Amino acid sequence: MADLVVFDLDGTIADTRLDLAGAVNYMRGTMQLEPLQTERIVKMVGNGMSNLVRRAVADVEIDCEEALRRMKRYYADHLLDTTCLYPDVAQGLEELHSKGVRIALVSNKPASACQNILDGLKIGAFFDAVVGGDDLYPLKPEPDSLLALAEKFAVPAKNCWIVGDHYTDLEAGRRAGFRRVFVTYGFGEARDEKPDFTAGSFAEFMMIIRGF
């Protein structure tokens, strides 16, 4: 089995769509803008909260920094209104942890939000490291955070995996030399990236990784 597995959060570990959309539309409402449909907002997710906000207000001229502050304040209090784990995630993480696999999370979402979501969903104890978009590293698809984790745990890249639902995860993994698993149940897209494996569920991912 792998020595280090790095997971994305949104669309991989947890279904965060409704809470993210709610935060975007709250922000738009405070700026006298009409709400956007959830699926439209979901397509904007994947490159960090700042980019999400810029895309969500691209139809008007507005102070994006103020919009970001409003969204962050609201989202911090509504991280877990509807957010939930995808099926079999808790059991899968427990199995990896019990077998001594190092488990990390790398998200373009702020680190405190990531940790609060993991703890709120009662899986925080399984993670050996949590890296957010406001940490020292550039956002995915840059590979810096992955390489730093491999170095931190003294694991060669060939024994590291990244699991995600977005091309940013796959590109970061490719550039870091990790094995890459694309999960199709999330809300991202692979674009031109060619993952090593594709999984339609977390249980299917676990079946794949058990073979290594």
Side-chain angles (χ1 to χ4, degrees):
M1 190 173 280
D3 294 322
L4 169 65
V5 182
V6 178
F7 291 97
D8 173 49
L9 177 57
D10 301 288
T12 301
I13 292 292
D15 185 347
T16 58
R17 287 176 293 184
L18 293 180
D19 290 337
L20 282 169
V24 167
N25 280 329
Y26 168 82
M27 173 272 292
R28 284 182 60 91
T30 65
M31 294 183 150
Q32 290 73 54
L33 302 175
E34 292 295 319
L36 301 176
Q37 291 186 339
T38 295
E39 288 310 308
R40 182 177 173 188
I41 295 171
V42 166
K43 293 182 185 303
M44 302 174 184
V45 175
N47 299 88
M49 198 166 281
S50 295
N51 284 316
L52 172 57
V53 167
R54 277 194 288 271
R55 292 165 183 163
V57 296
D59 54 335
V60 293
E61 287 192 14
I62 210 163
D63 183 345
C64 288
E65 291 303 316
E66 176 59 25
L68 178 61
R69 283 191 289 272
R70 295 186 188 193
M71 179 180 166
K72 279 185 172 180
R73 282 198 300 268
Y74 180 87
Y75 188 53
D77 293 329
H78 297 271
L79 293 169
L80 293 161
D81 286 0
T82 63
T83 287
C84 59
L85 293 175
Y86 286 107
D88 302 307
V89 167
Q91 300 92 320
L93 293 176
E94 184 175 17
E95 179 181 335
L96 292 173
H97 180 73
S98 70
K99 292 182 177 179
V101 177
R102 295 287 194 173
I103 302 172
L105 184 104
V106 172
S107 174
N108 288 343
K109 186 193 295 290
S112 59
C114 293
Q115 190 65 62
N116 288 337
I117 289 172
L118 297 179
D119 291 342
L121 295 175
K122 304 188 187 316
I123 57 171
F126 295 131
F127 286 83
D128 298 290
V130 174
V131 178
D134 54 351
D135 282 316
L136 298 175
Y137 311 104
L139 301 181
K140 297 175 293 185
E142 297 300 322
D144 303 51
S145 56
L146 304 189
L147 294 169
L149 287 168
E151 181 177 0
K152 174 183 174 71
F153 296 116
V155 178
K158 65 180 182 179
N159 294 340
C160 299
W161 293 53
I162 183 167
V163 184
D165 74 319
H166 203 52
Y167 75 91
T168 52
D169 307 305
L170 301 178
E171 182 180 336
R174 171 171 54 78
R175 294 167 65 184
F178 286 23
R179 281 199 167 105
R180 303 172 298 152
V181 181
F182 178 64
V183 294
T184 60
Y185 57 80
F187 42 86
E189 55 184 2
R191 293 197 180 175
D192 295 329
E193 292 293 328
K194 301 294 188 291
D196 299 288
F197 304 97
T198 298
S201 66
F202 202 89
E204 187 175 348
F205 155 69
M206 289 300 300
M207 290 177 62
I208 292 168
I209 202 166
R210 287 188 192 109
F212 288 85

